[in-house]
Amino acid sequence: MTTTDHDAGLRLTVLGCRAGMPEPGWPSSGYLVHAPGGEILLDCGPGVAAKAAMRAAELSAVFISHMHTDHCLDLLILGKARTQGPLPATKLPLYVPPGATRTLHRFNELFPLGTDGPGDHPTDHVFRDVFDVVEYEPLRPVRAAGATVLPVPMRHRQPCCGFRVTTERASLAYTGDTGAGSDFAPLVTDVDLLVAEATLDEPDRTAHGHLCAAEAGQIAARHGARALLLTHWAHTGRDWIDAQVARAGEHYRGRIDVAVPDHTFHVDTDTQET
């Protein structure tokens, strides 16, 4: 994984990008944003915590788009990892959707260190003693790691927000999970890099709320995104992914990249991959 020298730029490292359940080498959703003042983790699905914990000292904040397991299940693991050795002097800000705080505490209570229920050990209370849990307000910006993070409501079966991350020099947008009926303008307009799910082969005709690659391309083109990174793969075979890139390319003429674990994208320098 590429190390970061924090400057005014913006980079994104894909930690995981698999929709639903992870598979070997392909963790579920997790994206590390290298910002001027530190690093911001967007989502923390299964398999992401081990990678994020390696950067724990530089993590400035965690943002969760929604409470489906492939986007948040590793939060407990990440919190427990931070209890190994002395607890950090400050809690790690954890921004979650409205109503999620109670869910997280109940989740932690299901897995106490001892048999009598939660005790005094930090692993029994990571969402109290390790994380500073804050329920974000949609469309109200948050400052973190020298960047501004704007949660934007998206249409999905669970309450969900995408995130627009802006620094002095660059901006990126991450859709989380969403259907095509969302208001994408506040999230995507003139963004340098759009990280968009491309979960389906065809448009979603259900109430679940997912995008196909063609819709991701249409959204990028309609709102003037400078580059497009397709992600949230339902399948990881190269032929299937290449087909999604082709579908997006029928609607979007800018640069299209594909999310692959441990690849880093430089948002402010022609979105080059390392």
Side-chain angles (χ1 to χ4, degrees), residues 111-189:
F111 301 98
L113 186 65
T115 58
D116 324 348
D120 295 330
H121 195 276
T123 60
D124 285 350
H125 303 284
V126 300
F127 299 113
R128 183 192 72 189
D129 298 338
V130 177
F131 292 111
D132 179 17
V133 182
V134 179
E135 296 185 0
Y136 55 72
E137 182 179 332
L139 297 179
R140 183 172 182 174
V142 177
R143 288 290 294 174
T148 299
V149 182
L150 180 69
V152 180
M154 296 283 103
R155 186 178 68 82
H156 193 53
R157 188 177 292 272
Q158 277 270 356
C160 179
C161 277
F163 300 113
R164 182 175 180 126
V165 183
T166 305
T167 69
E168 293 179 2
R169 280 174 38 186
S171 58
L172 67 84
Y174 166 56
T175 63
D177 289 359
T178 180
S182 299
D183 179 8
F184 291 99
L187 182 70
V188 181
T189 299

Side-chain angles (χ1 to χ4, degrees), residues 58-143:
E58 297 188 26
L59 273 182
S60 297
V62 179
F63 287 79
I64 300 299
S65 62
H66 65 294
M67 298 301 289
H68 277 155
T69 56
D70 59 331
H71 292 257
C72 69
L73 192 61
D74 257 18
L75 280 175
L76 181 57
I77 307 304
L78 179 61
K80 289 191 174 189
R82 290 176 67 86
T83 69
Q84 306 306 303
L87 281 178
T90 58
K91 299 177 185 179
L92 178 62
L94 169 59
Y95 295 93
V96 297
T101 302
R102 177 170 170 76
T103 301
L104 292 175
H105 284 288
R106 291 176 62 195
F107 178 35
N108 201 167
E109 289 170 357
L110 290 173
F111 301 98
L113 186 65
T115 58
D116 324 348
D120 295 330
H121 195 276
T123 60
D124 285 350
H125 303 284
V126 300
F127 299 113
R128 183 192 72 189
D129 298 338
V130 177
F131 292 111
D132 179 17
V133 182
V134 179
E135 296 185 0
Y136 55 72
E137 182 179 332
L139 297 179
R140 183 172 182 174
V142 177
R143 288 290 294 174

Side-chain angles (χ1 to χ4, degrees), residues 26-46:
W26 294 81
S28 295
S29 297
Y31 306 86
L32 194 65
V33 177
H34 311 280
E39 295 180 343
I40 301 168
L41 179 62
L42 305 180
D43 283 341
C44 192

Side-chain angles (χ1 to χ4, degrees), residues 200-202 213-214 217 240 242-252:
L200 305 177
D201 282 308
E202 302 294 337
W240 190 87
D242 287 346
Q244 308 319 307
V245 174
R247 289 183 172 117
E250 293 174 2
H251 304 277
Y252 177 69

